Amino acid sequence: MEFKSQSEVEAIRKQYPVGSWIQIDHMDDPQAPAQGTIGKVINVDDIGNIHITGTGLSLIPGVDRFHKLLHD
């Protein structure tokens, strides 16, 4: 497993700040939530994984497919 640098983690935090809404497009995990699940970012941890409400799993940038939703 390759770890992200501190600057990569900070870039993820800037791109997906706490409170952002994300929609899951695909996770390769048998316990993954359904495609299209939407959650709010609650944390980006120190290794760059994104934690959102309602899933229990973290999103891994570069592995999982998801996108940020634009909300007012």
Side-chain angles (χ1 to χ4, degrees):
M1 173 185 243
E2 187 176 319
F3 290 100
K4 293 173 178 57
S5 69
Q6 187 61 36
S7 62
E8 290 172 312
V9 171
E10 288 305 318
I12 294 167
R13 286 182 174 142
K14 286 181 183 177
Q15 186 174 2
Y16 302 101
V18 170
S20 300
W21 290 92
I22 289 181
Q23 184 170 15
I24 297 171
D25 299 320
H26 179 268
M27 292 179 76
D28 190 17
D29 187 307
Q31 297 179 344
Q35 180 178 343
T37 296
I38 295 172
K40 187 185 279 190
V41 176
I42 54 175
N43 181 43
V44 176
D45 64 26
D46 291 340
I47 60 172
N49 292 345
I50 302 169
H51 301 265
I52 64 173
T53 57
T55 64
L57 297 175
S58 60
L59 297 169
I60 305 170
V63 175
D64 299 318
R65 293 193 314 261
F66 54 90
H67 63 278
K68 186 175 172 181
L69 299 174
L70 300 178
H71 281 220
D72 296 75

